[in-house]
Amino acid sequence: MATDIGPPDFREMMHPALKENYGKWKYHEILRPGVLKHVSETGGEVYTVRVGSPRLVSIDFIRDICDIADKYCDGHLRFTSRHSIEFMTADESKVQPLIDEIKSYNLPVGGTGTSVTNIVHTQGWVHCHSAATDASAPVKAIMDELYEYFGSMTLPAQLRIAFACCLNMCGAIHCSDIAIVGIHRRPPKVDDERVGAVCEIPTTLASCPTGAIRRHPDANVKSVVVNEERCMYCGNCFTVCPAMPIADAEGDGVAIYVGGKVSNARTGPMFSRLAIPFLPNTPPRWPETVDAVKNIVEVYAQHARKWERVGEWIERVGWETFFRLTGIPFTEQHIDDFAHAVGTFRTTTNFKW
Amino acid sequence: MSDSETPMLDELEKGPWPSFVTEIKRMADRKPAAKDLLGQMELSFRDKVTHWKHGGIVGVTGYGGGVIGRYSDSPEQFPNVAAFHTFRVNQPSGWLYSTKALRKVCDVWEKYGSGLTNMHGSTGDIILLGANTENLQPAFNALSDEAGFDLGGSGSVLRTPSCCIGPARCEWSCIDTLDLCNDLTHTYQDQLHRPAWPYKFKFKIAGCPNDCVASIARADMPIIGTWRDSLRIDQDAVREYVANGLDLQGEVISRCPTDALEWDAAAKELKVKAEDCVRCMHCINRMPKAIRPGVEKGATILIGGKAPIMRGALLSWVLVPFMKMEPPYTEFKELVEKIWDWWDENARTRERVGELIERMGMWRFLRDIGLKPLPQMVFQPRSNPYVFWPEEGE
């Protein structure tokens, strides 16, 4: 078997309309939610239909969308950076039949312009050892609730929600309009016998951002001790030392951060910031989390000006206004206490009541 | 008719959004692993914890990564996911596919795995979700030899690069993101497959500052297309937008972060002061038919982005304001290889390049890499007066 062959060449994967007009595109329009039209300098055209999808799909699903692409898109399709599918055709007369076929599979068309786009998320309980929550299930529940926003463009600006099942934040969801992250709230439980067998002590000590871990004081015990007051349950020690499990059914849950963005449009990229420190894990549909997200979306939709992202709206009206309008309590946990914390304190009298 | 074994999971088949539970069930009849995955998920829902054990080193011959080991902590109950490893499969640039190629991947996975996938993982790879240990090598052989796909990176390696759709469909792409991504991936296969570094390193390539791949937030080294001259304005098209009701002042001109736009009411022209424009893309986003990027195109190279673990999240910051990006991208590759050497030499285990620069200081990084300090690298100069004066030659 050959190794190091690298990925297949994208040039073989492109729809002919993309190939013919490569590097020559001139402008695009969003014809309606989920439908783009691009026009090239030489008059070439391509229509794109964007379709929402779960991140976890079967090969049968992939074969289904391949069937659609074979029928309407000359045997080509692509995926977006947010798990959505894009079908492309140069033939305008195929667009509506393509959409009809997509809808016959109960797949939603949308995710363009000022919509709630697909939720980027991680493995959760489907596959991850360090998950503090599931991801696919709350994502499904949230998209069910916000479904109308995916297939329409009624928000002040695009709204990107992302979900990470623990603080590792695979997918770096921390710059999203609404970022939901699984958290632990109890320190790890050290299994002294196993630590000696499976962990590298110096690596484990070094893995703690707050220096809460030290060697076990008894020289005969090859293990570590956690200063629980300094532990903020990030779980990095568990990542490097399997003998310090940290998951806890009642302690674990999710936190919600808001106001991040990744683009440079109008304002530079911004981190999401803490809105709700804890909501419990309530399988199968996480109703508290769904309600909290919906509330934030609706308050934003009602109050923000056109082309203001959530974070830009909050910067303009002030975080005090955000907490007042959403009814979310502001607590001691909202105030930073890690490195660079003081930089977030308000060193001016310019605040609203 | 028996009661369902997965009553909680069944709740997630309700509602309009397409359901991942339906997808797992599609494979459950012919793949015992999928059936057991349902069972274990249901147990997780009842227990409110994961039932996957920590790690486990598995792989294929010749590589030090690309396969994520995964074992159930309840193998007696769910024997078909006792071992349930994952492949990362390097996607074609821009996630562009022919159905022919995708179907080949499906066929391989039908034969050797659970039939479940993620399209795609967060870094960008196709995730083939769930194979047992014996099938790993045969699955990889088939992927490589029959389907023509390779594995992506995992562990302390160059992780699979990803890019936006670029010149294949986007009029704003200032660099050939697809070719660059493909080129870097093929050039650095060794760094991608064989862990030799302190920790992971990620490229992400965006055609313009809209940054549809979130590179500033997610990559150690973002490459973002930009232009050095003035954006281009088609005045007829501007007037057409205005005639069609666009609030030019409210939606475009007043939103310019640097006040670079002006409406000349006499000439009925939208003017830009090029030297004040920071290329944020807002006006272009609002008026795609009327405003376009400039023609002197290249890329801004940034450095340092990462997620919270361990010393906190970092957004990447500007390193090279403008670099021409022309194949074979020699200037870029020379720079990145110097950075890798410096990082590899100086970093602690699991220290990302951004954290290392924060620890050692930008001045030392720039000296060692051979780059001059530029005001474009900072929002502001320092205010604190604890300033080092290194000896010449240090």
Side-chain angles (χ1 to χ4, degrees), chain A residues 232-311:
Chain A
M232 41 66 180
Y233 346 102
C234 71
N236 198 33
C237 52
F238 175 63
T239 295
V240 302
C241 174
M244 301 179 63
I246 192 169
D248 180 286
E250 297 319 311
D252 294 354
V254 302
I256 299 184
Y257 289 70
V258 301
K261 67 190 282 275
V262 302
S263 85
N264 292 278
R266 301 168 307 280
T267 53
M270 301 196 271
F271 287 127
S272 312
R273 295 183 178 275
L274 183 63
I276 301 175
F278 179 76
L279 292 167
N281 282 331
T282 48
R285 295 191 66 99
W286 276 259
E288 299 87 349
T289 300
V290 171
D291 287 346
V293 170
K294 186 164 191 199
N295 179 44
I296 293 166
V297 171
E298 289 183 336
V299 169
Y300 158 72
Q302 200 189 339
H303 289 97
R305 290 179 189 162
K306 209 166 176 191
W307 311 122
E308 273 184 334
R309 297 285 294 276
V310 171

Side-chain angles (χ1 to χ4, degrees), chain A residues 2 4 22 70 127 140 307, chain B residues 17 63 70 99 144 176 251:
Chain A
D4 298 75
Y22 195 92
D70 283 339
H127 206 249
K140 157 76 170 145
W307 311 122
Chain B
W17 189 256
Y63 287 169
R70 190 62 78 232
T99 54
S144 183
D176 191 337
E251 292 193 39

Side-chain angles (χ1 to χ4, degrees), chain A residues 13 30 45 78 81 90 116 140 171 180 207 288 334 340:
Chain A
M13 304 292 163
I30 305 178
E45 288 180 353
R78 73 176 290 263
S81 59
V116 168
K140 157 76 170 145
I180 307 155
S207 74
E288 299 87 349
H334 285 85
H340 318 305

Side-chain angles (χ1 to χ4, degrees), chain B residues 25-312:
Chain B
K25 285 188 180 181
R26 282 179 91 167
M27 297 308 306
D29 283 340
R30 62 191 200 270
K31 289 288 183 182
K35 183 155 193 286
D36 274 1
L37 177 63
L38 288 170
Q40 187 172 295
M41 282 290 288
E42 185 78 14
L43 183 63
S44 276
F45 275 20
R46 291 204 298 275
D47 294 345
K48 298 198 284 188
V49 287
T50 187
H51 280 288
W52 296 108
K53 287 207 279 210
H54 192 299
I57 307 287
V58 290
V60 296
T61 307
Y63 287 169
V67 185
I68 316 293
R70 190 62 78 232
Y71 299 91
S72 168
D73 72 9
S74 309
E76 329 75 34
Q77 224 179 330
F78 307 111
N80 297 294
V81 293
F84 197 64
H85 315 304
T86 278
F87 284 104
R88 285 185 187 163
V89 176
N90 203 149
Q91 78 286 6
S93 294
W95 299 285
L96 291 154
Y97 290 96
S98 65
T99 54
K100 187 164 163 214
L102 257 187
R103 288 186 196 279
K104 283 190 191 163
V105 174
C106 290
D107 291 344
V108 169
W109 199 230
E110 171 100 59
K111 190 166 177 189
Y112 294 106
S114 67
L116 298 172
T117 76
N118 295 133
M119 300 300 281
H120 297 59
S122 301
T123 301
D125 308 87
I126 298 174
I127 305 293
L128 297 181
L129 202 63
N132 60 31
T133 313
E134 310 82 74
N135 278 352
L136 290 177
Q137 191 67 51
F140 170 69
N141 295 349
L143 263 177
S144 183
D145 296 337
E146 292 163 24
F149 280 79
D150 197 355
L151 299 190
S154 70
S156 296
V157 296
L158 174 67
R159 297 292 179 92
T160 307
S162 68
C163 66
C164 67
I165 193 174
R169 198 194 59 203
C170 187
E171 66 270 33
W172 298 331
S173 193
C174 295
I175 51 174
D176 191 337
T177 58
L178 300 164
D179 185 67
L180 176 61
C181 186
N182 192 57
D183 187 311
L184 293 177
T185 309
H186 282 276
T187 302
Y188 294 120
Q189 282 288 289
D190 198 41
Q191 288 87 339
L192 197 147
H193 293 300
R194 296 168 189 98
W197 282 340
Y199 202 9
K200 67 184 106 170
F201 192 98
K202 298 187 180 187
F203 292 131
K204 280 184 169 33
I205 301 158
C208 83
N210 279 326
D211 196 0
C212 297
V213 285
S215 66
I216 290 181
R218 303 193 299 162
D220 295 89
M221 197 162 185
I223 301 142
I224 301 183
T226 193
W227 62 95
R228 216 173 5 195
D229 56 340
S230 172
L231 46 78
R232 295 171 277 169
I233 304 180
D234 176 337
Q235 300 296 348
D236 286 336
V238 172
R239 289 180 211 113
E240 194 179 330
Y241 274 109
V242 173
N244 285 335
L246 176 73
D247 176 5
L248 192 64
Q249 184 60 37
E251 292 193 39
V252 184
I253 295 173
S254 67
R255 311 306 278 273
C256 174
T258 51
D259 253 335
L261 290 171
E262 201 171 48
W263 176 248
D264 180 339
K268 287 207 179 12
E269 280 186 3
L270 181 66
K271 298 244 164 70
V272 61
K273 281 167 272 168
E275 68 273 15
D276 285 347
C277 171
V278 290
R279 305 168 309 289
C280 83
M281 296 298 292
H282 175 75
C283 60
I284 297 175
N285 290 342
R286 298 286 70 77
M287 306 166 76
K289 288 179 176 174
I291 311 182
R292 306 173 74 180
V295 295
E296 207 189 322
K297 296 177 184 177
T300 300
I301 315 294
L302 300 96
I303 190 87
K306 59 179 290 291
I309 306 289
M310 165 156 133
R311 302 212 174 281

Side-chain angles (χ1 to χ4, degrees), chain A residues 15-257:
Chain A
H15 187 280
L18 304 189
K19 234 180 172 155
E20 281 152 28
N21 297 288
Y22 195 92
K24 293 189 276 176
W25 296 105
K26 190 173 178 196
Y27 70 85
H28 80 281
E29 300 174 86
I30 305 178
L31 298 180
R32 54 187 142 135
V35 184
L36 310 171
K37 175 183 175 182
H38 283 76
V39 176
S40 80
E41 287 160 1
T42 52
E45 288 180 353
V46 73
Y47 297 85
T48 299
V49 178
R50 183 174 293 171
V51 177
S53 166
R55 190 177 99 133
L56 197 166
V57 294
S58 64
I59 51 180
D60 286 352
F61 179 95
I62 299 173
R63 288 166 175 154
D64 287 343
I65 62 175
C66 284
D67 288 343
I68 299 175
D70 283 339
K71 200 165 167 187
Y72 297 96
C73 306
D74 307 287
H76 293 272
L77 52 80
R78 73 176 290 263
F79 293 81
T80 71
S81 59
R82 302 186 72 86
H83 321 313
S84 290
I85 307 156
E86 285 184 341
F87 295 97
M88 286 160 286
T89 175
D91 181 349
E92 190 184 6
S93 70
K94 287 194 177 158
V95 173
Q96 191 54 52
L98 167 60
I99 292 174
D100 293 340
E101 181 100 10
I102 289 163
K103 292 200 168 158
S104 76
Y105 284 84
N106 292 316
L107 295 173
V109 172
T112 56
T114 58
S115 64
V116 168
T117 57
N118 205 344
I119 299 182
V120 167
H121 68 91
T122 56
Q123 295 290 8
W125 295 334
V126 169
H127 206 249
C128 191
H129 62 295
S130 65
T133 184
D134 187 38
S136 308
V139 163
K140 157 76 170 145
I142 293 167
M143 286 311 286
D144 280 338
E145 188 68 29
L146 300 180
Y147 188 76
E148 305 307 328
Y149 289 106
F150 181 81
S152 62
M153 301 190 298
T154 58
L155 292 171
Q158 67 268 39
L159 194 147
R160 309 229 192 276
I161 305 174
F163 194 112
C165 59
C166 84
L167 258 60
N168 282 325
M169 287 200 198
C170 301
I173 55 93
H174 56 307
C175 296
S176 305
D177 296 277
I178 301 177
I180 307 155
V181 60
I183 62 164
H184 305 291
R185 292 185 306 156
R186 298 193 181 151
K189 298 182 179 67
V190 182
D191 180 339
D192 288 332
E193 267 183 49
R194 267 195 89 211
V195 168
V198 302
C199 300
E200 207 181 63
I201 306 267
T203 306
T204 309
L205 303 189
S207 74
C208 179
T210 57
I213 306 176
R214 59 190 167 90
R215 285 179 194 275
H216 197 285
D218 183 339
N220 296 320
V221 179
K222 191 174 169 231
S223 184
V224 297
V225 172
V226 176
N227 177 346
E228 298 199 343
E229 269 178 28
R230 282 185 107 164
C231 173
M232 41 66 180
Y233 346 102
C234 71
N236 198 33
C237 52
F238 175 63
T239 295
V240 302
C241 174
M244 301 179 63
I246 192 169
D248 180 286
E250 297 319 311
D252 294 354
V254 302
I256 299 184
Y257 289 70

